Amino acid sequence: MPTVSSEELAAAAGVNSAKLRKDFSYLGSYGTRGVGYDVEYLVYQISRELGLTQDWPVVIVGIGNLGAALANYGGFASRGFRVAALIDADPAMAGKPVAGMPVQHTDELEKIISDNGVSIGVIATPAGAAQQVCDRLVAAGVTSILNFAPTVLTVPDGVDVRKVDLSIELQILAFHEQRKAGEESSADSADDAEGTAPPAAAKPHRKGPDGDVPAVMPA
Amino acid sequence: MPTVSSEELAAAAGVNSAKLRKDFSYLGSYGTRGVGYDVEYLVYQISRELGLTQDWPVVIVGIGNLGAALANYGGFASRGFRVAALIDADPAMAGKPVAGMPVQHTDELEKIISDNGVSIGVIATPAGAAQQVCDRLVAAGVTSILNFAPTVLTVPDGVDVRKVDLSIELQILAFHEQRKAGEESSADSADDAEGTAPPAAAKPHRKGPDGDVPAVMPA
DNA sequence: CCATCTTTGTGCACGCGTTCACAAAGACAT
DNA sequence: ATGTCTTTGTGAACGCGTGCACAAAGATGG
């Protein structure tokens, strides 16, 4: 029986072994003292707890560049997701195959969701259409939404929304990049150091240090 | 002079007002007691601190569906990012316009980076090519990488990598979805409740509760 | 069957981020 | 000028997650 110790697993994942053991204990996954965890059993338990053993039908609404990329993304199928339908508002798209699947018109949205028992929807529409699409998805029975549109969606209680903003990750990188570059010349007259002038009426009394380290950005 | 109080801002953002004030104080953004924060000045300060007032040239490597979606994504330009070049390994892609910009061949990578002073690269290639592309980007002077390929990249010290896995967000949604569905029928014989049978050799002595709440998933 | 050795599971302490609560600061009216 | 009122900035307390350290459990060998 192939096994792994929490120590090996922790080293491979770059985390603390005690934390890993504690997390496993929350999941109810018991190992064997003196031996470790049965690999096969552990994989099965984690997969099941995470919902990977289930088949989740999802619909993707908005088949532009991003929608098509998602439809073609191989990582979904292996994680238990099945793209049940591709939906777009453009009548010219209807019937056109994307990722080996015909695009369907928004008119069919409610029927598709109910026929396939879809509870997870992906929104890849322009920002303007997102809330409207969201409302229709929720009304049709979807209770989890992954939103790629740059808008904050309003949903009733009981519906989960996760927002993915592609530019936020870039911003975080740029933030660190800026910090790297600015490291040699600190403690300068920080206000107009960056080329762009501050607003005219601004800067009422500015007292604080400017070169300190904000603690508000993810590492 | 239009102003906002920390209370208003906190309510709009759904966070605690004290935290918001403390964060602002780290940034050195001083408000006026009894009045609040000067909106225009605050926006300028935050933009500058976040690097939004700078122009960041980026290259996108791997112009498949995802790469094209990123190239077309409008959110970048408004956040201070400028797509300096689109790069792909496929000779057939070279010269083809994507998002109003000709795709260039991988051979040009080093020259493009050095000519444009690019320090941020986006990898949207298949998993197999990602590490190789990463190495070339780093060798050419890139110090921040946004990785969409499903691989963990190895980089030297001083280089930042952020990985975006589109399916992780879906998994988190599915996890909560599963929890919603399983709420009525708890405390059952949890093992084969999900249809898929557990491995034969598994389940050595299983003692712990199965219906408890793991604390390892983002809200 | 007992001793030893390995690895788990977890109580406890430490550290960090969040929140509370309030003194200080400034605006504004009188 | 002086008092009142609003809102900031921050010291202190609280709570939570992480990591340490060890007892308990079970395997393995003599």
Side-chain angles (χ1 to χ4, degrees):
Chain A
M1 181 176 83
T3 60
V4 262
S5 69
S6 63
E7 202 62 58
E8 295 174 84
L9 241 26
V15 298
N16 182 283
S17 67
K19 175 166 151 52
L20 193 144
R21 286 200 297 280
K22 191 162 283 188
D23 283 354
F24 281 2
S25 78
Y26 286 136
L27 295 172
S29 295
Y30 285 2
T32 306
R33 296 177 188 220
V35 177
Y37 297 89
D38 173 30
V39 172
E40 192 184 10
Y41 184 60
L42 188 61
V43 167
Y44 167 74
Q45 277 300 330
I46 294 179
S47 297
R48 192 174 61 77
E49 189 70 37
L50 257 36
L52 267 51
T53 57
Q54 277 184 64
D55 180 71
W56 294 102
V58 302
V59 295
I60 301 176
V61 186
I63 314 301
N65 279 288
L66 182 56
L70 293 169
N72 280 295
Y73 184 54
F76 290 156
S78 62
R79 304 292 242 293
F81 298 102
R82 179 171 50 82
V83 178
L86 307 177
I87 302 176
D88 200 284
D90 183 1
M93 289 287 293
K96 270 179 62 176
V98 171
M101 176 176 274
V103 175
Q104 304 183 60
H105 191 262
T106 319
D107 290 346
E108 312 288 331
L109 190 145
E110 284 78 10
K111 179 168 165 44
I112 294 168
I113 300 220
S114 119
D115 286 0
N116 293 83
V118 173
S119 56
I120 301 178
V122 178
I123 297 180
T125 65
Q131 182 64 57
Q132 190 185 337
V133 167
C134 173
D135 292 343
R136 288 184 63 182
L137 287 172
V138 170
V142 167
T143 49
S144 291
I145 289 176
L146 182 57
N147 177 31
F148 285 90
T151 326
V152 175
L153 296 175
T154 306
V155 292
D157 280 356
V159 177
D160 280 345
V161 177
R162 296 194 73 86
K163 185 171 181 299
V164 177
D165 182 341
L166 271 2
S167 71
I168 279 187
E169 298 291 327
L170 264 187
Q171 273 193 50
I172 294 172
L173 283 176
F175 176 80
H176 290 299
E177 195 66 34
Q178 175 181 234
R179 195 149 289 277
K180 287 180 201 167
E183 223 141 64
E184 59 264 19
S185 67
S186 57
D188 52 323
S189 66
D191 261 323
D192 39 18
E194 304 300 353
T196 314
K203 239 188 342 178
H205 42 59
R206 265 343 238 101
K207 283 186 285 192
D210 217 359
D212 59 350
V213 182
V216 288
M217 188 63 62
Chain B
M1 183 176 82
T3 59
V4 263
S5 68
S6 63
E7 201 62 56
E8 295 173 85
L9 241 26
V15 298
N16 182 285
S17 69
K19 174 166 153 52
L20 193 144
R21 284 199 299 279
K22 190 161 282 188
D23 284 355
F24 280 2
S25 77
Y26 287 137
L27 295 173
S29 295
Y30 285 2
T32 307
R33 299 179 185 217
V35 177
Y37 298 88
D38 172 29
V39 172
E40 192 184 10
Y41 184 60
L42 187 61
V43 167
Y44 166 74
Q45 277 300 329
I46 294 178
S47 298
R48 191 175 62 77
E49 189 70 36
L50 259 36
L52 267 52
T53 57
Q54 276 184 66
D55 180 70
W56 294 103
V58 303
V59 294
I60 301 176
V61 187
I63 312 302
N65 280 288
L66 183 56
L70 292 170
N72 281 294
Y73 184 55
F76 290 157
S78 62
R79 305 293 244 289
F81 298 103
R82 179 171 49 82
V83 178
L86 308 176
I87 302 175
D88 199 284
D90 183 1
M93 289 288 291
K96 271 180 62 177
V98 171
M101 176 176 275
V103 175
Q104 297 176 266
H105 190 263
T106 319
D107 291 346
E108 313 288 332
L109 191 146
E110 283 78 9
K111 179 167 164 43
I112 293 167
I113 299 210
S114 113
D115 286 359
N116 294 82
V118 174
S119 56
I120 302 178
V122 178
I123 297 181
T125 65
Q131 182 64 57
Q132 189 185 338
V133 167
C134 174
D135 292 343
R136 287 183 63 182
L137 287 173
V138 170
V142 167
T143 48
S144 290
I145 290 176
L146 183 57
N147 177 31
F148 285 90
T151 326
V152 175
L153 295 176
T154 305
V155 291
D157 280 356
V159 177
D160 280 344
V161 177
R162 296 195 71 87
K163 185 170 180 298
V164 177
D165 183 342
L166 271 2
S167 71
I168 279 186
E169 297 291 327
L170 264 187
Q171 273 193 51
I172 294 172
L173 283 176
F175 175 79
H176 289 300
E177 196 66 34
Q178 175 182 235
R179 194 150 289 277
K180 286 180 202 166
E183 223 139 63
E184 59 264 18
S185 67
S186 58
D188 53 324
S189 65
D191 262 324
D192 38 18
E194 303 301 350
T196 315
K203 239 189 343 179
H205 41 57
R206 269 335 244 105
K207 283 186 285 190
D210 217 359
D212 59 350
V213 182
V216 288
M217 189 61 65

